[in-house]
């Protein structure tokens, strides 16, 4: 088993609810809902100049919506992502057809939406794989 490190902005429960309530009419009922984080960096720890942010609450703004056959995501502004362009939150995934959360970042067409203010906590997670 090797340990994989992921740094995220994890949404508060209130923000996750706000996001899902705003988008509930576009999420197919048979898709798997995620809507819980924006990845800052995958596979590495936060750089030294960002470590002070761990555990801090930050504000994000969802401002564009993207859809594909496999995923629905929102683009977010307010905190930088280091290797997960564009900064996004995957909302829901068509897992029955083989969709995976990473596909939210592969969406290429985005439309502007009424901005949705979100709050999250900068976290670092180690998982074994």
């Amino acid at each position: 088993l090797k340990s994989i490190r992921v740094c995220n902005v994890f949404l508060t429960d209130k923000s996750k609810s706000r996001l899902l309530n705003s988008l509930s009419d576009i999420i197919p009922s048979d898709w798997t809902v995620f809507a819980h984080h924006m990845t800052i960096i995958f596979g590495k720890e936060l750089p030294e100049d960002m470590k002070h942010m761990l555990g801090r609450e930050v504000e994000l703004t969802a401002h564009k919506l993207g859809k594909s056959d496999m995923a629905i995501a929102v683009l977010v502004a307010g905190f930088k992502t280091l290797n997960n362009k564009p900064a996004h939150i995957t909302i829901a995934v068509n897992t029955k057809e083989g969709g995976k959360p990473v596909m939210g970042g592969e969406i290429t067409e985005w439309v502007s939406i009424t901005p949705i203010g979100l709050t999250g906590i900068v976290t670092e997670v180690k998982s074994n794989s």
Side-chain angles (χ1 to χ4, degrees), residues 15-91:
S15 285
K16 179 177 178 177
S17 295
R18 182 179 306 130
L19 190 56
L20 290 175
N21 289 339
S22 300
L23 304 172
S24 60
D25 55 334
I26 62 152
I27 301 170
S29 60
D30 59 342
W31 283 29
T32 304
V33 171
F34 289 91
H36 46 59
H37 75 277
M38 179 204 89
T39 302
I40 300 167
I41 190 166
F42 184 84
K44 299 178 187 161
E45 58 185 272
L46 280 178
E48 284 303 317
D49 66 339
M50 290 177 75
K51 283 194 185 293
H52 69 282
M53 294 301 297
L54 278 173
R56 290 216 187 153
E57 193 172 274
V58 295
E59 302 293 321
L60 298 175
T61 303
H63 59 94
K64 289 191 185 234
L65 176 70
K67 289 195 242 182
S68 71
D69 293 342
M70 292 295 174
I72 297 170
V74 289
L75 290 184
V76 293
F79 199 85
K80 68 180 177 179
T81 178
L82 299 174
N83 67 348
N84 193 37
K85 304 287 184 206
H88 71 281
I89 297 170
T90 299
I91 304 300

Side-chain angles (χ1 to χ4, degrees), residues 104-124:
E106 297 168 0
I107 294 170
T108 55
E109 293 187 27
W110 302 90
V111 295
S112 293
I113 57 171
T114 302
I116 305 166
L118 305 168
T119 304
I121 309 294
V122 178
T123 57
E124 189 172 71

